[in-house]
Amino acid sequence: MKALMCALVLCVSAVPVMAQAPARAAAPAEQPAPAPAPGSAGIFKANTDLQSVLKAAMAKTNDMATSPIALTDQYRVNIVHRPKANGAIAHPGNTELHYIIAGTGTVVTGGKIVRKPGVPASDATIEGGETHDVKPGDVVIVPAGSAHMYSKVNGEITYLEVRFVAPK
């Protein structure tokens, strides 16, 4: 858990330096809060609170559940739990970091997203990407606009997700 908190502090404290433009989100219901100003006290969330929120979110779905840590105009930080594989996705304008907390699986990054006619977008795959087996302590960095997916989840997987505006 100390490693998780160190990774979180490093990521969140480094983001304002790397992020120079507002985050781009797909039709948000409301504008995200501004990131803490340089020199401010920052953001703190206790692990017990994060786990409680994640457990409640998991109880409501058989799919991905999240526990938000910070959702700002410069970055989004969540604990993400996946009980199963997901379809391929990409986030234009946002680089993403995954720090695996628990569980194992297979992540595919890069390549081209393939969506077959008549098949839901959630079943998209990746052609020509790199495949890596992941376990607790592993880190995956997905460049802005790059395809990525968990093609296999062995039981379940939980990771810290840090998505920030990619420098131009």
Side-chain angles (χ1 to χ4, degrees):
M1 189 47 68
K2 280 186 178 180
L4 167 63
M5 294 316 292
C6 288
L8 175 60
V9 168
L10 270 174
C11 291
V12 172
S13 64
V15 167
V17 173
M18 294 183 286
Q20 299 298 319
R24 295 179 197 111
E30 61 184 64
Q31 289 293 90
S40 70
I43 297 169
F44 171 82
K45 296 276 181 109
N47 182 51
T48 53
D49 296 337
L50 293 169
Q51 296 303 322
S52 176
V53 170
L54 185 61
K55 185 176 180 180
M58 289 165 53
K60 295 177 185 174
T61 183
N62 294 343
D63 208 345
M64 182 184 85
T66 63
S67 179
I69 297 170
L71 306 176
T72 78
D73 61 344
Q74 294 182 26
Y75 50 83
R76 293 176 47 172
V77 183
N78 294 287
I79 295 177
V80 178
H81 174 84
R82 290 187 181 278
K84 60 185 178 184
N86 66 297
I89 53 176
H91 308 290
N94 297 106
T95 294
E96 198 167 307
L97 175 143
H98 294 188
Y99 173 81
I100 310 301
I101 298 169
T104 62
T106 303
V107 67
V108 182
T109 59
K112 178 182 174 189
I113 295 178
V114 178
R115 292 188 174 93
K116 295 180 180 169
V119 176
S122 60
D123 291 337
T125 60
I126 295 176
E127 181 179 281
E130 286 190 12
T131 301
H132 299 278
D133 291 331
V134 293
K135 63 187 178 316
D138 289 348
V139 174
V140 178
I141 298 176
V142 182
S146 294
H148 58 288
M149 68 185 291
Y150 284 86
S151 62
K152 181 179 179 186
V153 172
N154 303 316
E156 54 190 35
I157 193 164
T158 303
Y159 54 93
L160 172 70
E161 172 192 72
V162 180
R163 188 181 306 171
F164 52 92
V165 176
K168 294 184 178 191

